[in-house]
Amino acid sequence: MSVSLDSTLLEGLISFFLLVGAAFALIGSIGLMRLPDFYLRLHGPAKATTLGVGGIIIGSVIFFSTQGDGLSLHELLIALFLFITAPVSAHIVAKAALHLRLEAVERTRGKPWENDLVKADHEAKAAVAEGRFVTESVSDHMRRIDDPK
């Protein structure tokens, strides 16, 4: 009788993690599809989908670890790789979007690039005036990128 209860409890725990993981993955996918601009859309796969895959992997670790082979390290390595690479790749994609100056909707909060570009441009012009080695200002650089000859 206790084997059946333990088995039912274990199956319930595995099902819980699979359902929570699937729900996060679904929410992340819907966010990717429905959010209005690139910067908001980036949060769907970077955050919710990572948690979704994490939940599914936890369910998989529990299932395969109870099958008699001991702790399953394959899934733990997948989770470690996922949790390291997802934020790094999202950061790189966001930096590329900032460099390309992709449009953002008005309700997107925290637009630091507008002030940073102005500040960097002033610093570059001050460095040129002082004789420090600076090849061009930020605005000249951005103008050159926008209008290649």
Side-chain angles (χ1 to χ4, degrees), residues 1-18 58-59 62-63 66-67:
M1 187 75 170
S2 66
V3 172
S4 154
L5 180 62
D6 290 338
S7 165
T8 305
L9 184 63
L10 188 64
E11 288 174 0
L13 185 64
I14 292 169
S15 299
F16 170 76
F17 279 114
L18 290 177
I58 290 171
I62 294 170
F63 176 78
T66 59
Q67 295 300 312

PDB file of all heavy atoms in Angstrom, residues 1-18 58-59 62-63 66-67:
ATOM      1  N   MET A   1       0.813  -1.191   0.000  1.00  0.00           N
ATOM      2  CA  MET A   1       0.000   0.000   0.000  1.00  0.00           C
ATOM      3  C   MET A   1       0.858   1.257   0.000  1.00  0.00           C
ATOM      4  O   MET A   1       0.527   2.216  -0.656  1.00  0.00           O
ATOM      5  CB  MET A   1      -0.930  -0.047   1.223  1.00  0.00           C
ATOM      6  CG  MET A   1      -1.930   1.056   1.245  1.00  0.00           C
ATOM      7  SD  MET A   1      -3.192   0.720   0.049  1.00  0.00           S
ATOM      8  CE  MET A   1      -4.361   1.937   0.468  1.00  0.00           C
ATOM      9  N   SER A   2       1.981   1.245   0.743  1.00  0.00           N
ATOM     10  CA  SER A   2       2.839   2.417   0.801  1.00  0.00           C
ATOM     11  C   SER A   2       3.542   2.662  -0.528  1.00  0.00           C
ATOM     12  O   SER A   2       3.834   3.797  -0.865  1.00  0.00           O
ATOM     13  CB  SER A   2       3.861   2.282   1.933  1.00  0.00           C
ATOM     14  OG  SER A   2       4.759   1.230   1.647  1.00  0.00           O
ATOM     15  N   VAL A   3       3.810   1.600  -1.294  1.00  0.00           N
ATOM     16  CA  VAL A   3       4.440   1.768  -2.607  1.00  0.00           C
ATOM     17  C   VAL A   3       3.510   2.532  -3.526  1.00  0.00           C
ATOM     18  O   VAL A   3       3.903   3.423  -4.251  1.00  0.00           O
ATOM     19  CB  VAL A   3       4.820   0.394  -3.214  1.00  0.00           C
ATOM     20  CG1 VAL A   3       5.298   0.546  -4.632  1.00  0.00           C
ATOM     21  CG2 VAL A   3       5.827  -0.315  -2.344  1.00  0.00           C
ATOM     22  N   SER A   4       2.229   2.241  -3.475  1.00  0.00           N
ATOM     23  CA  SER A   4       1.249   2.928  -4.298  1.00  0.00           C
ATOM     24  C   SER A   4       1.122   4.397  -3.902  1.00  0.00           C
ATOM     25  O   SER A   4       1.025   5.265  -4.751  1.00  0.00           O
ATOM     26  CB  SER A   4      -0.087   2.203  -4.162  1.00  0.00           C
ATOM     27  OG  SER A   4      -1.148   3.051  -4.397  1.00  0.00           O
ATOM     28  N   LEU A   5       1.141   4.671  -2.596  1.00  0.00           N
ATOM     29  CA  LEU A   5       1.038   6.046  -2.128  1.00  0.00           C
ATOM     30  C   LEU A   5       2.283   6.844  -2.516  1.00  0.00           C
ATOM     31  O   LEU A   5       2.182   7.970  -2.988  1.00  0.00           O
ATOM     32  CB  LEU A   5       0.827   6.080  -0.610  1.00  0.00           C
ATOM     33  CG  LEU A   5       0.691   7.465   0.013  1.00  0.00           C
ATOM     34  CD1 LEU A   5      -0.539   8.156  -0.554  1.00  0.00           C
ATOM     35  CD2 LEU A   5       0.599   7.360   1.511  1.00  0.00           C
ATOM     36  N   ASP A   6       3.463   6.257  -2.307  1.00  0.00           N
ATOM     37  CA  ASP A   6       4.708   6.923  -2.688  1.00  0.00           C
ATOM     38  C   ASP A   6       4.753   7.153  -4.194  1.00  0.00           C
ATOM     39  O   ASP A   6       5.180   8.194  -4.659  1.00  0.00           O
ATOM     40  CB  ASP A   6       5.923   6.108  -2.253  1.00  0.00           C
ATOM     41  CG  ASP A   6       6.094   6.098  -0.743  1.00  0.00           C
ATOM     42  OD1 ASP A   6       5.566   7.022  -0.090  1.00  0.00           O
ATOM     43  OD2 ASP A   6       6.748   5.173  -0.240  1.00  0.00           O
ATOM     44  N   SER A   7       4.307   6.169  -4.940  1.00  0.00           N
ATOM     45  CA  SER A   7       4.295   6.273  -6.401  1.00  0.00           C
ATOM     46  C   SER A   7       3.336   7.376  -6.850  1.00  0.00           C
ATOM     47  O   SER A   7       3.662   8.162  -7.740  1.00  0.00           O
ATOM     48  CB  SER A   7       3.891   4.930  -6.992  1.00  0.00           C
ATOM     49  OG  SER A   7       3.545   5.062  -8.341  1.00  0.00           O
ATOM     50  N   THR A   8       2.180   7.455  -6.213  1.00  0.00           N
ATOM     51  CA  THR A   8       1.200   8.481  -6.562  1.00  0.00           C
ATOM     52  C   THR A   8       1.722   9.867  -6.203  1.00  0.00           C
ATOM     53  O   THR A   8       1.573  10.818  -6.975  1.00  0.00           O
ATOM     54  CB  THR A   8      -0.135   8.215  -5.833  1.00  0.00           C
ATOM     55  OG1 THR A   8      -0.569   6.902  -6.139  1.00  0.00           O
ATOM     56  CG2 THR A   8      -1.178   9.209  -6.234  1.00  0.00           C
ATOM     57  N   LEU A   9       2.340   9.985  -5.033  1.00  0.00           N
ATOM     58  CA  LEU A   9       2.912  11.258  -4.611  1.00  0.00           C
ATOM     59  C   LEU A   9       4.040  11.689  -5.556  1.00  0.00           C
ATOM     60  O   LEU A   9       4.127  12.859  -5.943  1.00  0.00           O
ATOM     61  CB  LEU A   9       3.434  11.147  -3.171  1.00  0.00           C
ATOM     62  CG  LEU A   9       3.970  12.420  -2.557  1.00  0.00           C
ATOM     63  CD1 LEU A   9       2.861  13.462  -2.440  1.00  0.00           C
ATOM     64  CD2 LEU A   9       4.580  12.129  -1.208  1.00  0.00           C
ATOM     65  N   LEU A  10       4.879  10.745  -5.940  1.00  0.00           N
ATOM     66  CA  LEU A  10       5.980  11.034  -6.863  1.00  0.00           C
ATOM     67  C   LEU A  10       5.450  11.463  -8.230  1.00  0.00           C
ATOM     68  O   LEU A  10       5.938  12.431  -8.818  1.00  0.00           O
ATOM     69  CB  LEU A  10       6.878   9.804  -6.992  1.00  0.00           C
ATOM     70  CG  LEU A  10       8.157   9.988  -7.758  1.00  0.00           C
ATOM     71  CD1 LEU A  10       9.058  10.986  -7.049  1.00  0.00           C
ATOM     72  CD2 LEU A  10       8.861   8.661  -7.893  1.00  0.00           C
ATOM     73  N   GLU A  11       4.451  10.756  -8.726  1.00  0.00           N
ATOM     74  CA  GLU A  11       3.856  11.121 -10.007  1.00  0.00           C
ATOM     75  C   GLU A  11       3.191  12.495  -9.938  1.00  0.00           C
ATOM     76  O   GLU A  11       3.249  13.275 -10.898  1.00  0.00           O
ATOM     77  CB  GLU A  11       2.840  10.065 -10.446  1.00  0.00           C
ATOM     78  CG  GLU A  11       3.478   8.775 -10.881  1.00  0.00           C
ATOM     79  CD  GLU A  11       2.467   7.693 -11.185  1.00  0.00           C
ATOM     80  OE1 GLU A  11       1.247   7.947 -11.058  1.00  0.00           O
ATOM     81  OE2 GLU A  11       2.887   6.587 -11.537  1.00  0.00           O
ATOM     82  N   GLY A  12       2.581  12.811  -8.806  1.00  0.00           N
ATOM     83  CA  GLY A  12       1.979  14.135  -8.631  1.00  0.00           C
ATOM     84  C   GLY A  12       3.031  15.237  -8.630  1.00  0.00           C
ATOM     85  O   GLY A  12       2.832  16.303  -9.227  1.00  0.00           O
ATOM     86  N   LEU A  13       4.162  14.991  -7.959  1.00  0.00           N
ATOM     87  CA  LEU A  13       5.252  15.968  -7.927  1.00  0.00           C
ATOM     88  C   LEU A  13       5.846  16.186  -9.321  1.00  0.00           C
ATOM     89  O   LEU A  13       6.069  17.330  -9.749  1.00  0.00           O
ATOM     90  CB  LEU A  13       6.341  15.508  -6.950  1.00  0.00           C
ATOM     91  CG  LEU A  13       7.486  16.462  -6.698  1.00  0.00           C
ATOM     92  CD1 LEU A  13       6.977  17.733  -6.029  1.00  0.00           C
ATOM     93  CD2 LEU A  13       8.546  15.790  -5.847  1.00  0.00           C
ATOM     94  N   ILE A  14       6.059  15.098 -10.039  1.00  0.00           N
ATOM     95  CA  ILE A  14       6.587  15.208 -11.410  1.00  0.00           C
ATOM     96  C   ILE A  14       5.591  15.948 -12.294  1.00  0.00           C
ATOM     97  O   ILE A  14       5.971  16.840 -13.068  1.00  0.00           O
ATOM     98  CB  ILE A  14       6.904  13.803 -11.971  1.00  0.00           C
ATOM     99  CG1 ILE A  14       8.081  13.182 -11.218  1.00  0.00           C
ATOM    100  CG2 ILE A  14       7.206  13.870 -13.469  1.00  0.00           C
ATOM    101  CD1 ILE A  14       8.299  11.710 -11.518  1.00  0.00           C
ATOM    102  N   SER A  15       4.319  15.608 -12.173  1.00  0.00           N
ATOM    103  CA  SER A  15       3.282  16.286 -12.968  1.00  0.00           C
ATOM    104  C   SER A  15       3.214  17.768 -12.643  1.00  0.00           C
ATOM    105  O   SER A  15       3.045  18.603 -13.541  1.00  0.00           O
ATOM    106  CB  SER A  15       1.916  15.650 -12.718  1.00  0.00           C
ATOM    107  OG  SER A  15       1.928  14.299 -13.097  1.00  0.00           O
ATOM    108  N   PHE A  16       3.369  18.129 -11.361  1.00  0.00           N
ATOM    109  CA  PHE A  16       3.362  19.530 -10.959  1.00  0.00           C
ATOM    110  C   PHE A  16       4.479  20.302 -11.665  1.00  0.00           C
ATOM    111  O   PHE A  16       4.237  21.366 -12.250  1.00  0.00           O
ATOM    112  CB  PHE A  16       3.508  19.640  -9.439  1.00  0.00           C
ATOM    113  CG  PHE A  16       3.742  21.045  -8.961  1.00  0.00           C
ATOM    114  CD1 PHE A  16       2.702  21.963  -8.918  1.00  0.00           C
ATOM    115  CD2 PHE A  16       5.009  21.454  -8.589  1.00  0.00           C
ATOM    116  CE1 PHE A  16       2.918  23.265  -8.492  1.00  0.00           C
ATOM    117  CE2 PHE A  16       5.243  22.754  -8.163  1.00  0.00           C
ATOM    118  CZ  PHE A  16       4.196  23.663  -8.109  1.00  0.00           C
ATOM    119  N   PHE A  17       5.699  19.776 -11.613  1.00  0.00           N
ATOM    120  CA  PHE A  17       6.809  20.478 -12.251  1.00  0.00           C
ATOM    121  C   PHE A  17       6.639  20.550 -13.765  1.00  0.00           C
ATOM    122  O   PHE A  17       6.971  21.557 -14.392  1.00  0.00           O
ATOM    123  CB  PHE A  17       8.149  19.826 -11.890  1.00  0.00           C
ATOM    124  CG  PHE A  17       8.657  20.238 -10.548  1.00  0.00           C
ATOM    125  CD1 PHE A  17       8.756  19.322  -9.519  1.00  0.00           C
ATOM    126  CD2 PHE A  17       9.029  21.549 -10.296  1.00  0.00           C
ATOM    127  CE1 PHE A  17       9.219  19.692  -8.277  1.00  0.00           C
ATOM    128  CE2 PHE A  17       9.491  21.936  -9.058  1.00  0.00           C
ATOM    129  CZ  PHE A  17       9.585  21.009  -8.034  1.00  0.00           C
ATOM    130  N   LEU A  18       6.114  19.490 -14.382  1.00  0.00           N
ATOM    131  CA  LEU A  18       5.885  19.526 -15.829  1.00  0.00           C
ATOM    132  C   LEU A  18       4.826  20.556 -16.194  1.00  0.00           C
ATOM    133  O   LEU A  18       4.982  21.301 -17.173  1.00  0.00           O
ATOM    134  CB  LEU A  18       5.481  18.141 -16.337  1.00  0.00           C
ATOM    135  CG  LEU A  18       6.575  17.074 -16.325  1.00  0.00           C
ATOM    136  CD1 LEU A  18       6.010  15.735 -16.785  1.00  0.00           C
ATOM    137  CD2 LEU A  18       7.750  17.486 -17.181  1.00  0.00           C
ATOM    138  N   ILE A  58      13.442  19.895 -14.089  1.00  0.00           N
ATOM    139  CA  ILE A  58      13.322  19.407 -12.705  1.00  0.00           C
ATOM    140  C   ILE A  58      12.416  18.172 -12.656  1.00  0.00           C
ATOM    141  O   ILE A  58      12.734  17.183 -11.990  1.00  0.00           O
ATOM    142  CB  ILE A  58      12.794  20.518 -11.777  1.00  0.00           C
ATOM    143  CG1 ILE A  58      13.858  21.589 -11.586  1.00  0.00           C
ATOM    144  CG2 ILE A  58      12.396  19.943 -10.413  1.00  0.00           C
ATOM    145  CD1 ILE A  58      13.363  22.830 -10.863  1.00  0.00           C
ATOM    146  N   GLY A  59      11.303  18.215 -13.374  1.00  0.00           N
ATOM    147  CA  GLY A  59      10.431  17.043 -13.455  1.00  0.00           C
ATOM    148  C   GLY A  59      11.144  15.848 -14.061  1.00  0.00           C
ATOM    149  O   GLY A  59      10.995  14.704 -13.590  1.00  0.00           O
ATOM    150  N   ILE A  62      13.647  14.356 -11.507  1.00  0.00           N
ATOM    151  CA  ILE A  62      12.958  13.553 -10.496  1.00  0.00           C
ATOM    152  C   ILE A  62      12.539  12.208 -11.077  1.00  0.00           C
ATOM    153  O   ILE A  62      12.736  11.154 -10.455  1.00  0.00           O
ATOM    154  CB  ILE A  62      11.737  14.312  -9.927  1.00  0.00           C
ATOM    155  CG1 ILE A  62      12.210  15.536  -9.151  1.00  0.00           C
ATOM    156  CG2 ILE A  62      10.906  13.398  -9.027  1.00  0.00           C
ATOM    157  CD1 ILE A  62      11.082  16.468  -8.762  1.00  0.00           C
ATOM    158  N   PHE A  63      11.993  12.229 -12.288  1.00  0.00           N
ATOM    159  CA  PHE A  63      11.523  10.983 -12.894  1.00  0.00           C
ATOM    160  C   PHE A  63      12.669  10.011 -13.138  1.00  0.00           C
ATOM    161  O   PHE A  63      12.619   8.854 -12.732  1.00  0.00           O
ATOM    162  CB  PHE A  63      10.791  11.270 -14.213  1.00  0.00           C
ATOM    163  CG  PHE A  63      10.377  10.027 -14.938  1.00  0.00           C
ATOM    164  CD1 PHE A  63       9.262   9.318 -14.515  1.00  0.00           C
ATOM    165  CD2 PHE A  63      11.098   9.565 -16.024  1.00  0.00           C
ATOM    166  CE1 PHE A  63       8.880   8.160 -15.166  1.00  0.00           C
ATOM    167  CE2 PHE A  63      10.714   8.415 -16.689  1.00  0.00           C
ATOM    168  CZ  PHE A  63       9.605   7.713 -16.253  1.00  0.00           C
ATOM    169  N   THR A  66      14.456   8.472 -10.041  1.00  0.00           N
ATOM    170  CA  THR A  66      13.726   7.449  -9.291  1.00  0.00           C
ATOM    171  C   THR A  66      13.577   6.141 -10.063  1.00  0.00           C
ATOM    172  O   THR A  66      12.991   5.203  -9.546  1.00  0.00           O
ATOM    173  CB  THR A  66      12.327   7.965  -8.916  1.00  0.00           C
ATOM    174  OG1 THR A  66      11.615   8.302 -10.100  1.00  0.00           O
ATOM    175  CG2 THR A  66      12.434   9.156  -7.987  1.00  0.00           C
ATOM    176  N   GLN A  67      14.121   6.062 -11.262  1.00  0.00           N
ATOM    177  CA  GLN A  67      14.023   4.837 -12.053  1.00  0.00           C
ATOM    178  C   GLN A  67      15.089   3.813 -11.693  1.00  0.00           C
ATOM    179  O   GLN A  67      15.171   2.774 -12.319  1.00  0.00           O
ATOM    180  CB  GLN A  67      14.088   5.163 -13.551  1.00  0.00           C
ATOM    181  CG  GLN A  67      12.933   5.984 -14.052  1.00  0.00           C
ATOM    182  CD  GLN A  67      11.607   5.271 -13.849  1.00  0.00           C
ATOM    183  OE1 GLN A  67      11.464   4.103 -14.178  1.00  0.00           O
ATOM    184  NE2 GLN A  67      10.647   5.971 -13.284  1.00  0.00           N
TER     185      GLN A  67
END
